[in-house]
Amino acid sequence: MTSATAYTATAADAPLEKVTIERRELGPNDVLIDIKYAGICHSDIHTARNEWGGTSYPVVPGHEIAGIVAEVGSDVTKHKVGDRVGVGCFVDSCGECEACLAGEEQYCFKGVTATYNSALADGSITQGGYSTQIVVTEGFVLRIPDGIELDVAAPLLCAGITLYSPLKHWGAGPGKKVAIIGMGGLGHVGVKIAHALGAEVTVLSQTLSKEEDGKRLGADHYYATSDKETFKKLRGEFDLIINTVSAEIDMDKHMSLLAINGSLVILGLPSEPIKVRGFTLAANRRSLAGSMVGGIPQTQEMLDFCAEHHIGAEIETIAADQINDAYERVLKSDVRYRFVIDAGTF
C-alpha cells in the first residue's frame, strides 16, 4: 500500500479537508503516478456536494489528472518510469462488451469504473486526483505528448475529450458551421478544438462580456443570446450546435438555429428534464443528441491533436488549500477558465 496526501469531502455540506489515504498495492498491470496537477471540474462539485445523489463519503474528487510515472508493475509495457501521463474520467471497464471492444469504454454495458466515487468488487470506493499519487491499470493511463505542458493538459482529460468526441462524431471540419453554447470551462476548449478542426465557429453566450476572449481563442463570430435579434439573424444557420451549459435554456429557440439535418448535442446536464416541441425536431429534420467524454483510444487521439495544434486549457493555478474557495468561485463563474490544483502544494 502507498500513502498519499489528499483532499476529501466527508459530507455534502462540509468543506474538503486534507487527509492521508492509502492507494492499493501496485499489481503487475498497474502504474503508480506522481500527480503534478489536477483540474477542478464542475462534476467534482456536484459529487462532493451529493447534488447528483449517490455520493459515498469520504470521497476524493478529481478526474483531470496529469503527472509522472513513478513505478510500474512487472507486466506493464505501455509506460515507463519518468513518462508524462494523464488519467481522465474512468479507470476501468469490463473490457468485453461491444462498447469496450470498440474503444468506447465510457459506454461500457456493465458500467464503467469512474476515477472517483465508484464501488469496486472488494467494497472499496475509487478515490480521485486531488492527491499526491494514484495507482491506475496501464490501459487507462494516457500519454501526454511533449507539446503540451502538464498544467494546461490536465483539464483536457475531461473538458478536452468531452468536446473533441462530439465534434469529431458529428463531423466538425472545413465547410461546417459550428456553434458553441457557453464560453466557460468546457466551451472555451470547444472553441479551440473546433477552430483547429477547420470549422467556422460561433459562440452563443448570454452576454458579450467574453467576446474578446472568444475571438482570441478561435471564434469567428460571437453573439449574445439575451438579444432577441440573435435568433432571428441566425435561424437555420448551423450544422452543429454543442451545448456546454448545465443551466436550463429554451431548447426550441436554440434548435431553430440548426440547418437542415443539423444536430444539437447536449454536454451540460441540467437537473430538470429537457423540453422540446415535436415540431421543432420535425422542421429541418433536426436531431437532439447527447455525448459523454470519449474512450481511451479517442482520448489519446485528442491529446495528440492538441499537442500538434498547441491547444491547452486556459487555467488559473491554485494551491491545495484554495480548493474550497475555488469551488465557490466556479459556482459564481469567477474563473477564466479552469482551476488547476498544483499537487506540489499538498
Side-chain angles (χ1 to χ4, degrees), residues 102-333:
E104 299 272 19
E105 296 92 345
Q106 75 275 28
Y107 302 127
C108 176
F109 294 175
K110 296 183 181 180
V112 71
T113 301
T115 304
Y116 60 85
N117 199 48
S118 264
L120 300 174
D122 64 3
S124 63
I125 303 296
T126 55
Q127 305 295 336
Y130 295 6
S131 177
T132 53
Q133 289 186 315
I134 192 169
V135 177
V136 180
T137 302
E138 71 165 328
F140 291 82
V141 178
L142 287 305
R143 176 181 54 84
I144 297 179
D146 290 336
I148 320 174
E149 295 300 324
L150 291 180
D151 54 355
V152 300
L156 297 180
L157 275 303
C158 176
I161 186 58
T162 296
L163 271 298
Y164 185 82
S165 187
L167 286 168
K168 289 287 286 187
H169 183 79
W170 275 274
K176 297 293 185 178
K177 293 184 177 182
V178 175
I180 307 289
I181 302 175
M183 183 65 185
L186 290 176
H188 89 282
V189 178
V191 169
K192 289 187 174 188
I193 292 175
H195 173 75
L197 287 169
E200 182 178 336
V201 185
T202 297
V203 173
L204 301 173
S205 186
Q206 194 164 12
T207 72
L208 299 178
S209 64
K210 299 178 182 177
E211 181 176 11
E212 185 176 340
D213 280 0
K215 297 288 185 66
R216 174 175 60 84
L217 298 181
D220 298 287
H221 316 285
Y222 202 108
Y223 290 93
T225 55
S226 56
D227 183 353
K228 294 180 181 179
E229 292 301 312
T230 291
F231 292 94
K232 295 178 182 179
K233 182 174 183 178
L234 300 179
R235 187 175 184 86
E237 182 78 6
F238 301 108
D239 302 294
L240 176 63
I241 301 175
I242 304 287
N243 181 20
T244 71
V245 303
S246 56
E248 187 175 355
I249 65 171
D250 188 323
M251 194 60 64
D252 291 293
K253 287 175 64 177
H254 284 79
M255 292 197 72
S256 74
L257 306 182
L258 289 171
I260 294 175
N261 297 323
S263 298
L264 190 152
V265 181
I266 301 293
L267 302 184
L269 302 177
S271 57
E272 297 299 321
I274 296 170
K275 299 177 182 179
V276 60
R277 294 190 305 139
F279 183 82
T280 300
L281 294 173
N284 275 8
R285 200 161 50 207
R286 303 174 179 122
S287 297
L288 177 63
S291 180
M292 285 180 58
V293 291
I296 293 299
Q298 191 177 56
T299 303
Q300 187 63 63
E301 177 186 312
M302 176 275 302
L303 288 169
D304 294 341
F305 178 88
C306 287
E308 179 184 353
H309 293 275
H310 308 290
I311 294 172
E314 303 289 304
I315 65 170
E316 180 179 334
T317 306
I318 62 169
D321 62 5
Q322 296 175 287
I323 292 173
N324 291 303
D325 290 337
Y327 272 24
E328 297 306 317
R329 287 182 57 192
V330 168
L331 297 176
K332 297 175 182 176
S333 298

